[in-house]
Amino acid sequence: MLLGQSILNGEPREGTGAAFQAFDPTAGTRLDPVYHSVSIDDVDTAARLADDAFATYSKLPGADKAGFLRHIAAGIESIAADLVERAHHETALPKPRLQGEVGRTVNQLRLFAQVVEEGSWAMARIDPAQPDRKPLPRADIRSVLRPIGPVAVFGSSNFPLAFSVAGGDTASAFAAGNPVIVKAHSAHPGTSEMVGQVICNSVKECGLPPGTFALIFGSGALVGSALVEHPSIKAVGFTGSLHAGRSLMQLAAARPEPIPCYMEMSSTNPFIVLPEALRTRAPQIAEGLFGSFTLGVGQFCTKPGLVFLPRDENADALIAGLRARVEQASASPMLTEGIYKSYKSLVAERQQLGGVEVLGLATPEPAGSVNAPPALFQISASELLREPELAKEIFGPSALVIRYANHQELLTLASSLEGQLTATLHGTDADIAASADLIAILERKAGRLIVNGYPTGVEVCHAMVHGGPYPATSDSRTTSVGTQAIYRFARPVCYQDFPQAALPDELKNENPLGILRLVNGEFTRDPV
């Protein structure tokens, strides 16, 4: 049952601030219940409770944290049908997509449960004492990753489940041993409250301190800022716009004790088609590319927004295929009124720019709807180099084609790009073999390189990297998807000459957890 309330200290908490409701983009109506922003005092209470809970939760054995994560996953599965129904009304995302997102959410919770249950993620390192070493003896030195402290997580607009209340940031922060405070996104408050209730119940049934989790509603400018600035918060996870992400980064950096912010913000995901691939399969690439940049009404952070094609007749054929698909496409509802208005404004602005050719534009919807028509534009390579702002992200179902004259010009274009989440190459084996210099540039620009595939769709696994240089993220050394995400919310602690009884289990000689450790520079599960 939706109460329209935040969750604080393990109980519903009525907000006292500004009121808001979810919006059904398809029906164009507001959805009950009414939610209210929490107060700054509530933020302070949540953060202090999280700090209190850290003393207990951070010491929890891996098996107990795994049980907690699995309990959350099972709880989400138990309400999956209702969850999908509510999320569908709040976002207009298709039910099959949302069913898949439920699966992704519970699977990543269970994947992190496996990681912490096994335990080797903590990167235990042991360099035993060498009392007889000359000219100086060596102390007994050991290190292991420990939780960083309470984490603030900001839910995203475009993934109401997988990047929201129980999404990857929350799952990885819990797995590392940290309490979590989630600021829910106002685009899907009902969905957020339902998942928040599941986590709250899991906290209670697993016997954890109530401050282990809190869910709060409120504006980013007021509530979000207060959360990031609170001295009890030790890290931030965020998925959203560049403007909002930069604002939070600046707040975190300006604190008396600056904290790390792991921000996923802006990416246009270059999609490069090489000559031989274009000659042999232009129609198939056109079909796949159109499906990728319009998937989810273009509201994926991995949407291919920049398409690089050579100036030849094979590229002309691919563009003709794209244009036909765009012009025959229907406009579809976007997540929120604000996102739709931004998309509409940016598309209109691009249409008016000199040097920009409109290749295709679907029929717009009548005034009053939030249905976005796909749009396809084209510019020359020289125009992009002269106006790099054209490479900025437009969140929605649009793509910009850039025509390059030769390989050297393609290298120049690739070098001019900002940081990206993904970069895609379509090419034959011969194309790829001849593109080592291009791949070297793209390695410096993106977190994930793809060959002959499409960037939308991110597998949750051990090797996945969903990150990249700024402005794609605030820290290119990290990922927000996959098990390596846990390292964002842990820090190394070194123990020198500690007695065995006082060491964490990960560092004791007998290796009671049976984990893989680096002992004297060699990986082993053996006792010391």
XYZ file of all heavy atoms in Angstrom, residues 27-103:
574
model
N -1.351 8.899 -20.041
C -2.692 9.447 -19.802
C -2.677 10.958 -19.619
O -3.709 11.613 -19.755
C -3.306 8.785 -18.572
N -1.511 11.516 -19.277
C -1.440 12.958 -19.032
C -2.104 13.375 -17.739
O -2.605 14.494 -17.626
N -2.117 12.483 -16.742
C -2.784 12.774 -15.471
C -1.838 12.564 -14.307
O -0.847 11.842 -14.404
C -4.012 11.854 -15.286
O -3.578 10.483 -15.350
C -5.055 12.116 -16.358
N -2.183 13.192 -13.181
C -1.415 13.003 -11.955
C -1.874 11.724 -11.256
O -3.039 11.335 -11.345
C -1.584 14.196 -11.020
C -1.137 15.514 -11.631
C 0.360 15.573 -11.768
N 0.791 16.698 -12.613
C 2.040 16.916 -12.973
N 2.987 16.070 -12.581
N 2.352 17.940 -13.743
N -0.944 11.107 -10.533
C -1.233 9.848 -9.852
C -1.190 10.049 -8.343
O -0.310 10.735 -7.827
C -0.198 8.790 -10.246
C -0.140 8.385 -11.724
C 1.080 7.507 -11.980
C -1.420 7.661 -12.117
N -2.125 9.435 -7.651
C -2.095 9.418 -6.191
C -1.069 8.387 -5.729
O -0.748 7.453 -6.465
C -3.483 9.060 -5.644
C -4.473 10.214 -5.796
O -4.018 11.368 -5.796
O -5.669 9.931 -5.935
N -0.555 8.540 -4.511
C -0.861 9.560 -3.514
C -0.026 10.819 -3.711
O 0.830 10.880 -4.590
C -0.481 8.864 -2.207
C 0.667 7.990 -2.582
C 0.351 7.486 -3.959
N -0.309 11.796 -2.863
C 0.480 13.026 -2.821
C 1.686 12.797 -1.912
O 1.560 12.221 -0.831
C -0.364 14.197 -2.291
C 0.486 15.449 -2.141
C -1.548 14.455 -3.218
N 2.854 13.212 -2.376
C 4.088 13.111 -1.587
C 4.506 14.508 -1.135
O 4.161 15.508 -1.759
C 5.210 12.478 -2.412
C 4.995 11.011 -2.676
C 4.149 10.587 -3.701
C 5.609 10.045 -1.896
C 3.925 9.244 -3.935
C 5.407 8.689 -2.120
C 4.556 8.298 -3.139
O 4.331 6.965 -3.364
N 5.263 14.547 -0.053
C 5.791 15.803 0.452
C 7.290 15.672 0.695
O 7.777 14.613 1.111
C 5.107 16.204 1.764
C 3.684 16.593 1.602
N 2.661 15.663 1.576
C 3.095 17.817 1.449
C 1.496 16.291 1.419
N 1.736 17.598 1.342
N 7.989 16.738 0.460
C 9.417 16.778 0.736
C 9.671 16.675 2.230
O 8.925 17.229 3.039
C 10.005 18.087 0.199
O 11.359 18.219 0.565
N 10.749 15.975 2.584
C 11.141 15.935 3.992
C 11.799 17.258 4.375
O 12.157 18.075 3.520
C 12.118 14.769 4.274
C 11.475 13.441 3.978
C 13.418 14.935 3.490
N 11.967 17.449 5.651
C 12.625 18.659 6.155
C 14.135 18.439 6.257
O 14.627 17.308 6.214
C 12.067 19.025 7.533
O 12.461 18.041 8.483
N 14.857 19.521 6.428
C 16.299 19.422 6.639
C 16.591 18.665 7.938
O 17.564 17.912 8.031
C 16.942 20.819 6.673
C 16.690 21.544 5.347
C 18.440 20.711 6.933
C 17.181 20.806 4.126
N 15.721 18.818 8.930
C 15.882 18.057 10.179
C 15.760 16.558 9.918
O 16.462 15.754 10.545
C 14.846 18.500 11.216
C 15.157 19.865 11.817
O 16.316 20.323 11.677
O 14.244 20.475 12.410
N 14.861 16.189 9.020
C 14.710 14.774 8.679
C 15.981 14.236 8.005
O 16.397 13.102 8.252
C 13.513 14.558 7.749
C 12.181 14.742 8.446
O 12.121 14.519 9.671
O 11.198 15.104 7.762
N 16.567 15.045 7.140
C 17.822 14.643 6.505
C 18.892 14.420 7.569
O 19.636 13.425 7.534
C 18.288 15.706 5.487
C 19.666 15.357 4.945
C 17.283 15.835 4.353
N 18.957 15.321 8.509
C 19.937 15.199 9.585
C 19.696 13.928 10.400
O 20.644 13.201 10.732
C 19.855 16.431 10.496
C 20.809 16.357 11.675
O 22.030 16.386 11.448
O 20.331 16.232 12.818
N 18.446 13.644 10.689
C 18.113 12.434 11.450
C 18.523 11.183 10.685
O 19.129 10.260 11.245
C 16.608 12.392 11.754
O 16.248 13.524 12.553
C 16.236 11.112 12.489
N 18.194 11.140 9.392
C 18.544 9.974 8.574
C 20.051 9.755 8.538
O 20.529 8.620 8.668
C 18.002 10.151 7.153
N 20.804 10.836 8.363
C 22.261 10.724 8.288
C 22.857 10.288 9.621
O 23.786 9.464 9.659
C 22.860 12.052 7.837
N 22.338 10.808 10.716
C 22.868 10.429 12.033
C 22.542 8.970 12.345
O 23.364 8.241 12.926
C 22.313 11.359 13.119
C 22.856 12.781 13.023
C 22.291 13.690 14.099
N 22.771 15.051 13.955
C 23.944 15.494 14.396
N 24.766 14.654 15.025
N 24.300 16.750 14.223
N 21.353 8.533 11.973
C 20.985 7.131 12.184
C 21.860 6.211 11.336
O 22.250 5.117 11.770
C 19.510 6.916 11.843
C 18.499 7.478 12.843
C 17.098 7.456 12.251
C 18.534 6.671 14.143
N 22.149 6.643 10.118
C 23.027 5.851 9.254
C 24.424 5.750 9.858
O 25.060 4.682 9.817
C 23.094 6.477 7.859
N 24.901 6.833 10.433
C 26.210 6.830 11.077
C 26.224 5.878 12.269
O 27.193 5.132 12.479
C 26.558 8.253 11.514
C 28.042 8.427 11.790
O 28.855 7.863 11.033
O 28.378 9.124 12.754
N 25.138 5.880 13.050
C 25.026 4.951 14.179
C 25.001 3.501 13.685
O 25.641 2.624 14.269
C 23.761 5.237 14.989
C 23.818 6.567 15.731
O 24.933 7.109 15.907
O 22.746 7.074 16.116
N 24.244 3.259 12.597
C 24.112 1.896 12.067
C 25.429 1.389 11.497
O 25.682 0.176 11.480
C 23.028 1.860 10.990
N 26.284 2.304 11.030
C 27.544 1.901 10.409
C 28.407 1.075 11.358
O 29.079 0.125 10.938
C 28.312 3.147 9.947
C 29.630 2.845 9.300
C 29.684 2.290 8.031
C 30.823 3.117 9.959
C 30.902 2.011 7.424
C 32.044 2.852 9.367
C 32.081 2.296 8.091
N 28.389 1.417 12.632
C 29.205 0.697 13.610
C 28.873 -0.791 13.628
O 29.759 -1.639 13.807
C 29.019 1.305 14.998
N 27.596 -1.122 13.420
C 27.166 -2.524 13.405
C 27.241 -3.132 12.020
O 27.820 -4.200 11.816
C 25.722 -2.638 13.933
O 25.675 -2.145 15.277
C 25.232 -4.078 13.894
N 26.661 -2.432 11.047
C 26.549 -3.024 9.710
C 27.911 -3.216 9.062
O 28.138 -4.191 8.338
C 25.646 -2.153 8.827
C 25.357 -2.803 7.494
C 24.542 -3.927 7.409
C 25.915 -2.302 6.322
C 24.286 -4.535 6.188
C 25.663 -2.905 5.098
C 24.850 -4.019 5.043
O 24.608 -4.630 3.836
N 28.842 -2.312 9.300
C 30.170 -2.410 8.668
C 30.937 -3.637 9.138
O 31.861 -4.093 8.457
C 30.984 -1.147 8.954
O 31.244 -1.019 10.346
N 30.588 -4.172 10.309
C 31.279 -5.335 10.861
C 30.578 -6.647 10.515
O 31.027 -7.725 10.909
C 31.368 -5.206 12.392
C 32.081 -3.951 12.885
C 33.547 -3.935 12.497
C 34.265 -2.730 13.110
N 35.677 -2.652 12.685
N 29.477 -6.551 9.791
C 28.689 -7.740 9.489
C 29.485 -8.711 8.621
O 30.123 -8.300 7.646
C 27.419 -7.309 8.750
C 26.142 -8.122 8.951
C 25.717 -8.073 10.407
C 25.041 -7.575 8.051
N 29.504 -10.018 8.949
C 30.186 -10.988 8.090
C 29.596 -11.008 6.686
O 28.422 -10.665 6.478
C 29.935 -12.323 8.804
C 29.596 -11.966 10.216
C 28.904 -10.629 10.141
N 30.407 -11.408 5.736
C 29.955 -11.450 4.353
C 28.717 -12.300 4.162
O 27.826 -11.954 3.381
N 28.616 -13.408 4.884
C 27.451 -14.284 4.742
C 26.176 -13.573 5.180
O 25.099 -13.759 4.580
C 27.654 -15.554 5.561
N 26.275 -12.733 6.213
C 25.090 -12.012 6.694
C 24.696 -10.906 5.718
O 23.497 -10.674 5.473
C 25.353 -11.427 8.076
C 25.464 -12.506 9.152
O 25.136 -13.670 8.862
O 25.888 -12.179 10.277
N 25.678 -10.207 5.165
C 25.356 -9.196 4.151
C 24.732 -9.861 2.924
O 23.791 -9.327 2.326
C 26.611 -8.423 3.746
C 27.108 -7.450 4.800
C 28.248 -6.587 4.288
C 29.501 -7.390 4.077
N 30.655 -6.573 3.652
N 25.238 -11.019 2.551
C 24.672 -11.752 1.415
C 23.220 -12.130 1.695
O 22.350 -12.020 0.810
C 25.504 -13.002 1.134
N 22.943 -12.572 2.917
C 21.561 -12.909 3.269
C 20.643 -11.713 3.175
O 19.489 -11.818 2.713
N 21.117 -10.561 3.603
C 20.340 -9.316 3.515
C 20.045 -8.965 2.054
O 18.894 -8.667 1.691
C 21.133 -8.204 4.203
C 20.549 -6.823 4.093
C 19.219 -6.577 4.372
C 21.357 -5.744 3.716
C 18.686 -5.282 4.283
C 20.848 -4.465 3.633
C 19.505 -4.234 3.900
N 21.051 -9.015 1.197
C 20.854 -8.696 -0.221
C 19.875 -9.670 -0.875
O 19.023 -9.269 -1.681
C 22.193 -8.716 -0.946
C 23.192 -7.619 -0.548
C 24.564 -7.899 -1.140
C 22.696 -6.245 -0.989
N 19.990 -10.942 -0.541
C 19.069 -11.932 -1.121
C 17.649 -11.742 -0.598
O 16.677 -11.991 -1.318
C 19.574 -13.343 -0.811
C 20.863 -13.696 -1.552
C 21.276 -15.140 -1.324
N 22.480 -15.437 -2.087
C 23.652 -15.781 -1.544
N 23.759 -15.896 -0.232
N 24.700 -16.024 -2.307
N 17.525 -11.306 0.638
C 16.200 -11.041 1.211
C 15.528 -9.895 0.454
O 14.321 -9.962 0.143
C 16.348 -10.690 2.693
C 15.079 -10.832 3.487
N 14.025 -9.942 3.379
C 14.687 -11.763 4.390
C 13.046 -10.301 4.196
N 13.417 -11.408 4.825
N 16.301 -8.854 0.139
C 15.750 -7.744 -0.654
C 15.307 -8.239 -2.027
O 14.213 -7.903 -2.503
C 16.791 -6.623 -0.808
C 17.159 -6.023 0.553
C 16.266 -5.518 -1.733
C 18.357 -5.077 0.499
N 16.153 -9.051 -2.675
C 15.831 -9.558 -4.005
C 14.535 -10.365 -3.988
O 13.669 -10.198 -4.857
C 16.980 -10.410 -4.525
N 14.398 -11.229 -3.002
C 13.180 -12.038 -2.904
C 11.957 -11.161 -2.651
O 10.864 -11.414 -3.197
C 13.334 -13.077 -1.794
N 12.125 -10.128 -1.837
C 11.006 -9.220 -1.568
C 10.560 -8.475 -2.810
O 9.359 -8.283 -3.042
N 11.516 -8.038 -3.635
C 11.164 -7.356 -4.885
C 10.438 -8.310 -5.821
O 9.432 -7.953 -6.455
C 12.426 -6.771 -5.545
C 12.970 -5.617 -4.705
C 12.131 -6.292 -6.972
C 14.307 -5.098 -5.153
N 10.911 -9.534 -5.913
C 10.238 -10.525 -6.767
C 8.814 -10.784 -6.310
O 7.917 -10.997 -7.138
C 11.026 -11.830 -6.771
C 12.279 -11.786 -7.632
C 13.027 -13.085 -7.628
O 13.009 -13.795 -6.595
O 13.653 -13.411 -8.652
N 8.576 -10.732 -5.013
C 7.238 -11.036 -4.486
C 6.211 -9.978 -4.858
O 5.002 -10.246 -4.820
C 7.299 -11.200 -2.970
O 7.491 -9.946 -2.316
N 6.658 -8.771 -5.192
C 5.712 -7.716 -5.585
C 5.925 -7.294 -7.041
O 5.506 -6.215 -7.443
C 5.838 -6.487 -4.658
C 7.234 -5.850 -4.763
C 5.504 -6.844 -3.225
C 7.325 -4.459 -4.139
N 6.586 -8.149 -7.820
C 7.000 -7.762 -9.169
C 5.841 -7.282 -10.035
O 5.954 -6.278 -10.742
C 7.725 -8.924 -9.845
N 4.725 -7.979 -10.009
C 3.598 -7.609 -10.878
C 3.080 -6.217 -10.526
O 2.854 -5.382 -11.413
C 2.486 -8.647 -10.759
N 2.888 -5.951 -9.239
C 2.409 -4.636 -8.815
C 3.449 -3.553 -9.104
O 3.117 -2.421 -9.464
C 2.086 -4.645 -7.325
C 0.855 -5.487 -6.996
O 0.034 -5.714 -7.915
O 0.731 -5.915 -5.840
N 4.710 -3.911 -8.934
C 5.799 -2.972 -9.172
C 5.850 -2.561 -10.641
O 5.966 -1.363 -10.975
C 7.108 -3.625 -8.754
C 8.330 -2.760 -8.453
C 8.007 -1.703 -7.409
C 9.466 -3.659 -7.977
N 5.728 -3.526 -11.523
C 5.737 -3.239 -12.962
C 4.538 -2.379 -13.339
O 4.658 -1.434 -14.127
C 5.762 -4.548 -13.769
C 5.421 -4.304 -15.235
C 7.119 -5.224 -13.648
N 3.393 -2.671 -12.776
C 2.182 -1.909 -13.089
C 2.345 -0.444 -12.679
O 2.039 0.473 -13.453
C 0.984 -2.527 -12.369
C -0.359 -1.926 -12.755
C -0.766 -2.246 -14.187
O -0.345 -3.294 -14.716
O -1.518 -1.439 -14.793
N 2.835 -0.211 -11.472
C 3.004 1.164 -11.007
C 4.078 1.885 -11.815
O 3.886 3.040 -12.233
C 3.384 1.170 -9.517
C 3.637 2.567 -8.946
C 2.361 3.370 -8.824
N 2.637 4.756 -8.443
C 1.738 5.604 -7.959
N 0.481 5.220 -7.817
N 2.051 6.843 -7.656
N 5.206 1.207 -12.058
C 6.279 1.840 -12.824
C 5.825 2.163 -14.241
O 6.214 3.191 -14.808
C 7.510 0.935 -12.847
N 5.014 1.323 -14.815
C 4.493 1.576 -16.167
C 3.670 2.860 -16.193
O 3.791 3.674 -17.115
C 3.651 0.385 -16.611
C 2.907 0.602 -17.894
N 3.552 0.781 -19.104
C 1.579 0.688 -18.154
C 2.648 0.958 -20.056
N 1.453 0.908 -19.506
N 2.829 3.050 -15.191
C 1.999 4.262 -15.147
C 2.847 5.506 -14.879
O 2.555 6.587 -15.401
C 0.907 4.130 -14.089
C -0.219 3.237 -14.503
N -1.081 3.537 -15.540
C -0.619 2.021 -14.036
C -1.968 2.564 -15.686
N -1.712 1.631 -14.790
N 3.886 5.369 -14.085
C 4.690 6.533 -13.721
C 5.693 6.930 -14.797
O 6.137 8.080 -14.825
C 5.443 6.260 -12.411
C 4.524 6.213 -11.195
C 5.280 6.130 -9.889
O 6.358 5.495 -9.866
O 4.804 6.686 -8.883
N 6.074 5.994 -15.678
C 7.152 6.271 -16.637
C 6.752 6.092 -18.093
O 7.496 6.529 -18.984
C 8.349 5.346 -16.372
O 7.959 3.989 -16.638
C 8.845 5.464 -14.933
N 5.654 5.392 -18.365
C 5.236 5.015 -19.725
C 6.194 4.017 -20.368
O 6.079 3.730 -21.561
C 5.081 6.240 -20.631
N 7.141 3.483 -19.615
C 8.007 2.446 -20.156
C 7.198 1.171 -20.360
O 6.333 0.839 -19.541
C 9.180 2.186 -19.209
C 10.164 3.347 -19.050
C 11.170 3.039 -17.946
C 10.884 3.630 -20.362
N 7.454 0.432 -21.434
C 6.677 -0.785 -21.705
C 6.843 -1.819 -20.591
O 7.922 -1.939 -19.995
C 7.273 -1.297 -23.024
C 7.975 -0.136 -23.623
C 8.448 0.714 -22.486
N 5.785 -2.564 -20.357
C 5.839 -3.559 -19.278
C 6.916 -4.614 -19.500
O 7.606 -4.994 -18.536
C 4.464 -4.197 -19.083
C 3.442 -3.240 -18.485
C 2.106 -3.923 -18.239
C 1.091 -2.931 -17.652
N -0.220 -3.579 -17.404
N 7.117 -5.106 -20.735
C 8.213 -6.076 -20.916
C 9.572 -5.496 -20.534
O 10.405 -6.194 -19.951
C 8.138 -6.407 -22.410
C 6.716 -6.171 -22.777
C 6.295 -4.987 -21.955
N 9.806 -4.225 -20.866
C 11.065 -3.574 -20.472
C 11.179 -3.525 -18.952
O 12.239 -3.803 -18.381
C 11.124 -2.180 -21.087
C 11.782 -1.069 -20.284
C 13.291 -1.096 -20.281
N 13.826 -0.193 -19.249
C 14.110 1.082 -19.413
N 13.918 1.656 -20.595
N 14.603 1.806 -18.423
N 10.088 -3.194 -18.276
C 10.116 -3.091 -16.821
C 10.257 -4.462 -16.170
O 10.912 -4.600 -15.136
C 8.860 -2.384 -16.325
C 8.787 -0.890 -16.693
C 7.380 -0.348 -16.468
C 9.802 -0.083 -15.883
N 9.646 -5.479 -16.767
C 9.834 -6.838 -16.248
C 11.307 -7.240 -16.332
O 11.850 -7.858 -15.417
C 8.949 -7.811 -17.026
C 7.472 -7.652 -16.719
C 6.568 -8.286 -17.770
O 7.034 -8.726 -18.826
N 5.271 -8.344 -17.495
N 11.939 -6.861 -17.445
C 13.365 -7.116 -17.576
C 14.176 -6.357 -16.549
O 15.185 -6.852 -16.033
N 13.718 -5.145 -16.238
C 14.443 -4.339 -15.257
C 14.302 -4.906 -13.850
O 15.241 -4.837 -13.050
C 13.954 -2.890 -15.317
C 14.946 -1.919 -14.722
C 14.542 -0.466 -14.890
O 13.980 -0.114 -15.942
O 14.794 0.305 -13.947
N 13.139 -5.484 -13.545
C 12.994 -6.177 -12.262
C 14.012 -7.315 -12.181
O 14.708 -7.481 -11.174
C 11.563 -6.734 -12.093
C 11.496 -7.672 -10.889
C 10.559 -5.607 -11.908
N 14.110 -8.088 -13.269
C 15.068 -9.182 -13.292
C 16.493 -8.711 -13.114
O 17.280 -9.308 -12.369
